[in-house]
Amino acid sequence: MRIKDFGINEIFDSRGNSTIEVGIAVGNGLAFYSSLPAGKSRGSEEAAVLPFAAASSAANRKRLGAITNRDFKTQRSFDEFLIALDGTKNKRKLGGNVMLGLSMSFARGLAAEKREEVWEFLQEEFFGASGGAAVWEPVIFSNLVNGGEHAANNLDIQEYMVLAGTKGGVKSAVKKLIAFYGALGERLSSLKRAANIAVGDEGGYSLDFKNNLEPLAILADLIREKKFSGSFRLGMDAAANGFFSDGKYRFDGKTVTTGNLAAIYERYFKKIPALYSIEDPFAERDVSGFSLLSETLQDKIVVGDDLTVTNRELIGKYAGEGIIGGVIVKPNQAGTVTEAAEALREARDRGIKAIVSHRSGETDDVFIIHLAKAARAYGVKIGAPVRERIFKFNELLRIV
Ligand code: PEP
Ligand code: MG
């Protein structure tokens, strides 16, 4: 495919912050666009994000001019060209956000050229077409209580998630999740005697709790009730970079060591049998915490996010060491579609669970749902089933 022209526009994400949309024109009046979400609790090794002004500066547009009027036959060859053109480790020259926007738009263009759905094209390109019509029953990781950097409340833990299986169909899972979200709102209103409860960045409820355990206990009680019994498991994203400094954690108002925190989490898992997964339980530099916790958890998973930043080598390393049983895949941590696909392949080859994820600053771009389907990922992590988050739920309904 030959790119005739490209454009970078300023748009705004779900927090009202500036982000970019990147388009390519491929001739015959055809153009493809992609928009870029933004993370707030970011891993330090994530691909660089250039603000709109730098992304669309004359100097950057000149550098990017090299992609026009050149034939690229595959996604990989286009992405490799971008990576070489940028030439830095963290994609700071062209911008990881600019590169991913071009990369996703290119994938959309190639899929259209082949008269295929984006997920079909990605499956053939990266995951072997043999999966073909096989069923995909992703677990939906839906964040219903927000804390940490995503909310103005007293929770150190960033996300309390309900894990909804889709074996009975995506539609019934989504309906059940929506009903559960409503029931949780009512439960929180009555428990906290509050008529109005705020929501955080990902649509989950945001209010003060007694401690970091209380939301889990409330969620566990609610899923035991007759109407929801057996429907959901629970998961957390501690995003522990956010409460780590000088080698210690600030948790429930106390300063605790890595060992203390591991013991606290172990207690959570014992008290709440429905709790299945914990993401970034320790800071990305505190690898010892991950091994400590993984050793003691059976049939449960520790998930890497800021730890692994959608990087194939890091995923291979930590999966190989047995300290993660699952991994978050966010294309904008990597900066090209090919590298995100490689991260998914690495997870598959290492036998760990891959969960394709949104960012807390959301746009209406649904590309990640197609990537997740192409890879037959274990799960998709897409926030509460409301507001701007609903676009990804709806894309699941369309394509699964
Ligand atoms: C996360 O930590 O998993 C997350 C989605 O948050 P953010 O997008 O702010 O990094
Ligand atoms: Mg995370």
Side-chain angles (χ1 to χ4, degrees):
M1 194 170 66
R2 194 170 263 256
I3 297 174
K4 300 260 190 285
D5 198 5
F6 65 92
I8 300 169
N9 304 319
E10 183 173 37
I11 61 165
F12 298 91
D13 71 15
S14 56
R15 285 188 278 251
N17 291 333
S18 170
T19 185
I20 59 169
E21 173 183 76
V22 180
I24 58 170
V26 296
N28 297 329
L30 281 177
F32 301 92
Y33 296 88
S34 305
S35 63
L36 284 299
K40 197 189 259 178
S41 65
R42 294 161 43 82
S44 63
E45 302 293 319
E46 293 192 19
V49 176
L50 289 189
F52 169 68
S56 65
S57 67
N60 209 31
R61 293 185 54 82
K62 189 161 177 231
R63 280 193 285 268
L64 287 165
I67 65 172
T68 56
N69 297 315
R70 201 182 273 269
D71 265 322
F72 298 101
K73 298 232 172 334
T74 63
Q75 184 71 36
R76 180 177 291 278
S77 65
F78 179 65
D79 289 344
E80 282 172 355
F81 185 84
L82 284 178
I83 290 167
L85 189 62
D86 172 77
T88 68
K89 185 162 178 282
N90 71 344
K91 303 185 170 65
R92 66 179 176 277
K93 201 155 182 191
L94 299 178
N97 52 340
V98 176
M99 290 169 66
L100 180 63
L102 289 167
S103 181
M104 291 193 295
S105 298
F106 188 83
R108 289 182 153 122
L110 271 189
E113 198 172 67
K114 290 173 190 275
R115 307 268 188 279
E116 288 179 343
E117 290 258 33
V118 173
W119 69 263
E120 279 180 289
F121 161 70
L122 293 172
Q123 187 181 66
E124 286 164 14
E125 188 90 346
F126 297 110
F127 303 101
S130 55
V135 280
W136 178 50
E137 293 167 337
V139 175
I140 302 174
F141 286 60
S142 184
N143 180 8
L144 301 190
V145 177
N146 294 182
E149 294 187 36
H150 293 169
N153 61 12
N154 67 348
L155 293 171
D156 303 307
I157 300 276
Q158 178 178 282
E159 302 174 19
Y160 294 83
M161 289 172 280
V162 156
L163 276 45
T166 57
K167 285 203 191 322
V170 171
K171 192 181 281 180
S172 71
V174 173
K175 279 184 175 171
K176 221 177 246 178
L177 261 174
I178 292 171
F180 187 83
Y181 178 80
L184 178 63
E186 285 168 19
R187 177 64 51 91
L188 292 172
S189 290
S190 71
L191 284 174
K192 301 286 178 188
R193 295 192 178 78
N196 297 305
I197 294 183
V199 297
D201 288 359
E202 297 185 355
Y205 299 110
S206 161
L207 62 162
D208 282 347
F209 287 87
K210 278 185 227 152
N211 51 40
N212 287 298
L213 177 62
E214 195 191 13
L216 269 186
I218 294 172
L219 285 164
D221 279 348
L222 201 55
I223 60 175
R224 267 198 300 270
E225 287 181 13
K226 209 166 150 216
K227 202 159 98 187
F228 301 110
S229 79
S231 300
F232 307 120
R233 290 172 294 165
L234 298 174
M236 295 196 292
D237 180 4
N241 277 350
F243 52 92
F244 180 75
S245 69
D246 295 332
K248 295 264 170 61
Y249 295 89
R250 193 75 196 156
F251 196 80
D252 277 340
K254 299 188 190 77
T255 301
V256 300
T257 63
T258 299
N260 298 148
L261 189 59
I264 292 170
Y265 292 140
E266 283 161 33
R267 269 207 309 283
Y268 283 15
F269 277 97
K270 281 216 180 80
K271 267 204 163 96
I272 313 282
L275 182 59
Y276 174 68
S277 66
I278 183 161
E279 179 183 331
D280 284 344
F282 300 93
E284 63 179 76
R285 278 180 293 139
D286 190 9
V287 178
S288 68
F290 283 82
S291 19
L292 212 57
L293 189 60
S294 300
E295 270 170 31
T296 60
L297 295 183
Q298 278 159 5
D299 310 322
K300 311 278 177 173
I301 53 169
V302 172
V303 178
D305 172 15
D306 295 339
L307 177 77
T308 38
V309 289
T310 312
N311 176 287
R312 187 182 60 178
E313 280 82 32
L314 290 175
I315 294 168
K317 176 176 185 311
Y318 294 131
E321 291 171 8
I323 69 168
I324 50 171
V327 68
I328 294 292
V329 171
K330 295 167 170 167
N332 76 332
Q333 286 181 327
T336 62
V337 172
T338 298
E339 288 162 289
E342 282 175 348
L344 283 159
R345 285 216 322 226
E346 186 72 25
R348 184 184 66 186
D349 294 349
R350 298 276 182 173
I352 65 167
K353 296 184 163 68
I355 302 142
V356 177
S357 168
H358 67 167
R359 301 307 302 249
S360 55
E362 182 62 297
T363 75
D364 57 355
D365 195 304
V366 293
F367 188 92
I368 62 162
I369 302 298
H370 287 256
L371 180 64
K373 174 161 173 149
R376 303 212 177 296
Y378 173 77
V380 291
K381 188 183 164 195
I382 50 182
V386 288
R387 303 176 184 228
E388 76 285 346
R389 306 286 149 178
I390 207 69
F391 298 140
K392 297 207 173 35
F393 287 84
N394 286 339
E395 191 68 1
L396 266 183
L397 289 170
R398 274 181 211 111
I399 72 169
V400 170

